[in-house]
Amino acid sequence: MSSQPNEDVESQTQQPLLGHNSQFSLANASSQVAIVGANVCPIESLDYEIIENDFFKQDWRARGKIQIYQYLFMKWALCFLVGLVVSLVGFFVNLAVENIAGIKFVVTSDMMLAGRYGLAFLVFAASNFVLTLFASTITAFISPAAAGSGIAEVKAYLNGVDAPQVFSLRTLVVKIIGSISAVSSSLLVGKAGPMVHAGASLAALMGQGGSKKYGLTWKWLHYFKNDRDRRDLVTCGSAAGIAAAFRAPVGGLLFAFEEMASWWRSALLWRAFFCTAIVAIMLRAFIDICYSGKCGLFGTGGLIMYNVTSENVVYHLSDMPPVLLLGIIGGILGSLYNFILDKVLRLYSLINEKGIVYRIILACSISVFTSCLLFGLPWFASCQACPRDAKEDCPTIGRSGNYKKFQCASNQYNDLASLIFNTNDDAIRNLFSQNTDKEFHGSSMLIFFVTCFFLSILSYGIVVPAGLFVPVILIGASYGRYVGMLIGSHSNLDNGLFAVLGAASLLGGSMRATVSLGVILLELTNNLLLLPLIMVVLLISKTVADAFTANIYDIIMKLKGFPYLEAHVEPYMRQLMVADIASGPLQYFQGIEKVGNIMHVLRTTRHNGFPVIDEPPLSEQPVLFGLILRAHLIALLKKKAFISTPVSTGIDAFDRFSSVDFSKKGSGRVEEVEDIVLTDEEMEMFIDLHPFSNASPYTVVETMSLAKALILFRQVGLRHMLVIPKLPGRSPVVGILTRHDFMPEHILNLHPLLRKSKWKRLRFRLPRLKNCFDASMQLTAGSSLSIGR
């Protein structure tokens, strides 16, 4: 082992922007509570690169056709299982939400019919309070990683960020149960985001090959004990989650491709498509069962959101100005929504960082406020006479529908209560409905829009599983329908169509996706004729919103402190070389290294990759042989693959080791060097690192531009990138680039003059992260936690 001054740097612990604690804690902060003041956690990068060492090559050469076919078969089999299980979970979540919330609304309505208004409010508020208390308690105490949407965590994982406990079994269980309870409690949160997280968690757990602790292992799954194959499964799981949430298989596939995955290939496209197709087929079968009346109150809600605009849509060129107006307003409202949500999450941190009890109190307080608001607002809405040509009973009693009686007379209904005293899915269905232009009053629609806009922001930051997808659709549909009421006389478009376009505009303005959101809405409405209008609205709203703020998931990832690598490069990166950002000293090993030296380096650093350099007498001059991972070194030390003299004896590594010894462990306990106990005699022995070193690591010359290196690093999915010298006669390795080195905060800290550069885009995007990075640099100066190496 040697050490020399160099540009290599130990990657820093990423600190959430809103964390104010002065000490490190190993408590998980990768969930929504990281936004609201949790302790700092260690975040590692993922190894998507194939480690092509001699042992890997020999292992693949030793595999016969049967093993190769097993590997291919298991890929498709796992995709099938992911689609099957995710569809079961999606159906269960929707079934539970519709029945729990439905029973609550039916009981409340029955008391309203009996004139017992005070008791009806108590039942409504108490049930919401208990459901919120349950969701927040299990989330705060059992798995804080289950809080929030989960889309930001999955997106960061597919970018190469391995936040702890994100895909653990208890996180999955809390995510499913907590989202059912939270959505049923009338909090304005959705279940689509949690379904994405649940689908990704199921896929990650299936790819782990079981649990050695409980004796649940399967030999065939050993092939998938690596980050590369697990990434593909998680991608399929995230696509299946969206497909299960909206019964939109193609939309789910495109959402994973457009918004979630940082890396894609045609083979993965086929498997993800197969996975979402399984989800669609299974949900269709389950819903057929529900149509027969065997699902309780679920039969007309939840997943059954098709045919809301199934009639022929006729529009002309003269109808385009209102559509353009919807896109512009949606872009402005979407960016405003993201801006306010950012500020609210920062404000919540002042309360939630005080402890678990404060987080639960905040969640329950939001529940009480929501109950009071939802129960009180319909009293300000005027009653309307039931339409004579209504397609369903009016008023609606004891079930979901468009005509809630509330406090009105027997032949009247309360239009605002019809939206509030329904699940979010049924409310969207009511807003999307065609030929209902006169069923909702303009003032009621405006009240509902403002209420949903702010309640969804207030509800998201609390410690419960909460999605943003459905609330944004609901807000957009209400605002779109209100715009339709204002300008309906000047357009041929139906108010229900305005609601669909409003939902599209706010989705584009907040989430900034285009293709996937358009397809999801088409699959929801089951009307291909809407495609041109939805495309125009999404393009305009995204363009307008991009001028103000980032998309909602990027904002959340930055607040959580995830070191996410963007697809684009900042202009100043083309002015820098890779040698300008690396920092030292560099730790490396010789090809045949002393055991004591390896133990010392592993104990005193947290690097996850080390260059292996051959020096005389193994070579005429120092040359780079390859790169060896920390996990592989620990495996060698654990097996005690030692030799007595520093001479390559050609030990038969292939007889002493198997591929399982070097496979990536699951979400259990990680093996550490502190667990290895060696005698003084063993510490004086040696290890031949050549068979276990990656002899073909990705290298770049020190004069390469930083922008070019970033593109390579992200597109290939690297964890380590070696920097080699331009001219001979120097050390064979100049430094190692990791994820941390490409972070704008790190670059600006090394080159402060860039802050005053002429690049306005740089000044716009990065000041918010400056304090986070400066604090992280101070905290990690003497810390052993790391994210990149």
Side-chain angles (χ1 to χ4, degrees):
M1 182 275 299
S2 301
S3 174
Q4 66 186 54
N6 205 279
E7 286 83 0
D8 180 47
V9 64
E10 172 66 12
S11 298
Q12 311 293 334
T13 298
Q14 189 77 7
Q15 182 186 8
L17 182 61
L18 300 181
H20 298 288
N21 297 314
S22 59
Q23 297 180 349
F24 280 110
S25 170
L26 292 179
N28 174 57
S30 59
S31 67
Q32 181 67 31
V33 293
I35 294 180
V36 289
N39 291 337
V40 183
C41 72
I43 298 178
E44 298 287 348
S45 292
L46 297 167
D47 291 305
Y48 290 149
E49 180 185 1
I50 295 178
I51 307 301
E52 292 184 341
N53 52 30
D54 291 342
F55 186 84
F56 171 83
K57 295 175 183 177
Q58 179 65 22
D59 180 62
W60 270 98
R61 282 194 294 265
R63 294 182 182 180
K65 288 186 177 180
I66 294 179
Q67 290 175 308
I68 295 175
Y69 287 144
Q70 285 178 352
Y71 175 67
L72 296 176
F73 171 77
M74 285 306 301
K75 281 188 174 182
W76 288 96
L78 284 174
C79 289
F80 173 80
L81 290 175
V82 168
L84 177 64
V85 177
V86 171
S87 62
L88 289 170
V89 171
F91 179 74
F92 170 73
V93 169
N94 282 277
L95 182 68
V97 169
E98 290 292 322
N99 283 280
I100 294 174
I103 292 173
K104 175 186 66 178
F105 289 133
V106 168
V107 172
T108 304
S109 298
D110 290 343
M111 292 183 177
M112 295 286 290
L113 289 173
R116 306 168 69 180
Y117 302 123
L119 184 58
F121 169 72
L122 290 178
V123 170
F124 180 71
S127 59
N128 291 340
F129 181 87
V130 171
L131 289 169
T132 303
L133 177 63
F134 175 72
S136 60
T137 301
I138 63 173
T139 303
F141 283 99
I142 299 178
S143 179
S149 170
I151 290 182
E153 284 85 351
V154 178
K155 186 176 180 178
Y157 179 89
L158 295 177
N159 188 256
V161 180
D162 187 17
Q165 299 301 317
V166 168
F167 296 142
S168 67
L169 179 60
R170 62 180 179 179
T171 298
L172 172 63
V173 174
V174 172
K175 197 79 178 184
I176 296 173
I177 298 176
S179 64
I180 292 173
S181 183
V183 175
S184 302
S185 68
S186 291
L187 290 173
L188 205 66
V189 297
K191 54 184 181 291
M195 273 305 304
V196 173
H197 193 178
S201 299
L202 284 166
L205 290 171
M206 288 183 185
Q208 289 182 11
S211 171
K212 288 185 177 181
K213 180 179 179 181
Y214 300 104
L216 301 174
T217 58
W218 195 12
K219 185 178 180 180
W220 282 22
L221 288 178
H222 292 165
Y223 299 136
F224 296 89
K225 287 183 174 291
N226 61 82
D227 290 330
R228 191 181 185 89
D229 285 319
R230 287 177 186 167
R231 172 186 60 182
D232 290 353
L233 278 175
V234 169
T235 303
C236 294
S238 63
I242 286 290
F246 295 112
R247 257 185 75 196
V250 180
L253 171 67
L254 293 176
F255 186 80
F257 174 73
E258 180 181 11
E259 185 65 23
M260 304 297 295
S262 298
W263 188 85
W264 200 269
R265 68 182 192 278
S266 58
L268 178 59
L269 177 69
W270 277 106
R271 288 199 295 274
F273 182 74
F274 172 69
C275 189
T276 56
I278 296 298
V279 173
I281 294 171
M282 295 303 299
L283 290 180
R284 179 71 263 177
F286 294 143
I287 291 174
D288 286 341
I289 298 175
C290 288
Y291 275 133
S292 63
K294 299 179 181 178
C295 297
L297 298 172
F298 180 71
T300 58
L303 295 169
I304 309 175
M305 295 174 60
Y306 280 71
N307 302 321
V308 290
T309 57
S310 58
E311 298 182 14
N312 292 335
V313 178
V314 179
Y315 50 89
H316 306 282
L317 187 62
S318 60
D319 296 317
M320 292 308 296
V323 174
L324 300 178
L325 178 64
L326 280 175
I328 295 173
I329 297 176
I332 297 174
L333 287 176
S335 59
L336 178 64
Y337 183 89
N338 295 357
F339 175 80
I340 298 176
L341 181 61
D342 182 11
K343 301 302 180 184
V344 169
L345 294 177
R346 295 167 184 266
L347 178 63
Y348 279 179
S349 68
L350 302 177
I351 301 174
N352 288 350
E353 69 177 358
K354 298 180 182 296
I356 292 179
V357 175
Y358 287 88
R359 296 171 193 164
I360 296 176
I361 291 176
L362 176 61
C364 293
S365 300
I366 296 298
S367 174
V368 173
F369 174 74
T370 300
S371 298
C372 294
L373 204 60
L374 296 183
F375 193 88
L377 286 176
W379 293 92
F380 296 96
S382 58
C383 296
Q384 300 189 54
C386 290
R388 297 180 180 178
D389 57 347
K391 297 180 180 179
E392 58 180 277
D393 294 337
C394 180
T396 302
I397 299 176
R399 58 181 178 82
S400 61
N402 282 20
Y403 309 105
K404 291 293 183 181
K405 185 174 180 297
F406 206 65
Q407 88 287 8
C408 299
S410 58
N411 59 343
Q412 295 180 328
Y413 71 97
N414 188 311
D415 59 342
L416 185 55
S418 300
L419 297 173
I420 289 178
F421 281 83
N422 265 323
T423 61
N424 290 338
D425 292 334
D426 285 325
I428 294 172
R429 187 180 179 86
N430 294 344
L431 291 171
F432 281 4
S433 298
Q434 281 194 331
N435 300 323
T436 57
D437 289 2
K438 305 211 173 176
E439 289 186 6
F440 299 98
H441 195 272
S443 60
S444 298
M445 195 56 57
L446 180 61
I447 292 173
F448 185 71
F449 161 68
V450 175
T451 302
C452 292
F453 187 91
F454 290 103
L455 279 184
S456 66
I457 293 174
L458 294 176
S459 301
Y460 183 75
I462 60 179
V463 61
V464 298
L468 289 170
F469 223 113
V470 172
V472 170
I473 292 178
L474 189 61
I475 297 167
S478 59
Y479 121 78
R481 196 171 184 101
Y482 180 68
V483 171
M485 293 177 179
L486 295 179
I487 63 177
S489 59
H490 304 286
S491 174
N492 297 318
L493 303 181
D494 185 88
N495 285 355
L497 178 55
F498 270 104
V500 175
L501 297 178
S505 68
L506 198 62
L507 283 171
S510 177
M511 300 181 182
R512 311 296 161 78
T514 52
V515 179
S516 59
L517 294 179
V519 174
I520 287 173
L521 287 173
L522 288 180
E523 292 183 289
L524 282 178
T525 57
N526 198 26
N527 196 330
L528 189 61
L529 296 176
L530 298 179
L531 179 59
L533 298 179
I534 291 178
M535 290 175 63
V536 170
V537 166
L538 285 171
L539 287 171
I540 294 177
S541 61
K542 181 185 184 304
T543 303
V544 171
D546 280 340
F548 297 101
T549 61
N551 79 65
I552 187 64
Y553 297 121
D554 286 349
I555 290 175
I556 293 174
M557 281 193 297
K558 285 182 171 60
L559 291 176
K560 288 174 181 284
F562 292 148
Y564 184 83
L565 291 178
E566 299 285 354
H568 66 272
V569 295
E570 299 291 351
Y572 69 87
M573 290 185 177
R574 301 196 178 277
Q575 314 302 320
L576 297 174
M577 298 184 299
V578 292
D580 295 328
I581 64 166
S583 58
L586 173 67
Q587 301 285 352
Y588 67 88
F589 293 117
Q590 297 184 27
I592 301 178
E593 188 59 79
K594 189 176 182 180
V595 173
N597 291 340
I598 296 176
M599 289 290 293
H600 173 73
V601 172
L602 294 181
R603 286 171 175 170
T604 56
T605 71
R606 301 301 295 176
H607 296 349
N608 287 289
F610 302 90
V612 176
I613 297 177
D614 280 339
E615 297 179 339
L618 296 178
S619 63
E620 295 181 359
Q621 59 183 0
V623 295
L624 172 65
F625 178 82
L627 182 79
I628 191 165
L629 299 180
R630 180 187 189 91
H632 292 181
L633 288 171
I634 292 178
L636 293 174
L637 292 170
K638 185 178 179 181
K639 283 277 189 176
K640 298 186 177 181
F642 306 149
I643 54 179
S644 57
T645 58
V647 178
S648 181
T649 58
I651 63 170
D652 197 352
F654 311 109
D655 292 336
R656 301 187 59 181
F657 294 91
S658 68
S659 59
V660 179
D661 296 322
F662 299 100
S663 61
K664 177 70 178 286
K665 301 298 185 293
S667 58
R669 182 174 179 269
V670 179
E671 293 182 350
E672 297 289 350
V673 68
E674 288 78 13
D675 301 329
I676 300 174
V677 179
L678 300 176
T679 64
D680 293 339
E681 182 181 357
E682 291 171 332
M683 295 285 280
E684 296 298 323
M685 299 182 74
F686 299 87
I687 298 181
D688 187 358
L689 301 180
H690 293 99
F692 312 99
S693 300
N694 183 5
S696 57
Y698 282 89
T699 60
V700 295
V701 69
E702 60 182 338
T703 55
M704 177 182 285
S705 72
L706 184 59
K708 192 174 181 179
L710 172 59
I711 294 173
L712 174 64
F713 192 94
R714 187 182 189 275
Q715 290 184 349
V716 180
L718 299 180
R719 187 175 188 178
H720 310 98
M721 178 183 284
L722 298 181
V723 181
I724 59 176
K726 175 74 171 178
L727 300 175
R730 299 171 55 189
S731 170
V733 181
V734 175
I736 297 182
L737 296 180
T738 62
R739 176 175 298 269
H740 161 77
D741 296 303
F742 293 102
M743 291 293 104
E745 310 82 60
H746 170 66
I747 298 171
L748 293 181
N749 187 71
L750 293 177
H751 303 281
L753 292 179
L754 290 175
R755 299 181 188 277
K756 302 178 182 179
S757 68
K758 63 181 180 180
W759 306 109
K760 295 183 179 180
R761 184 181 183 184
L762 176 66
R763 295 203 308 266
F764 175 75
R765 291 176 61 87
L766 299 178
R768 295 166 48 199
L769 294 176
K770 176 180 180 298
N771 295 335
C772 169
F773 178 77
D774 291 340
S776 177
M777 291 293 291
Q778 296 174 7
L779 288 170
T780 56
S783 172
S784 62
L785 304 180
S786 63
I787 64 169
R789 290 286 305 279

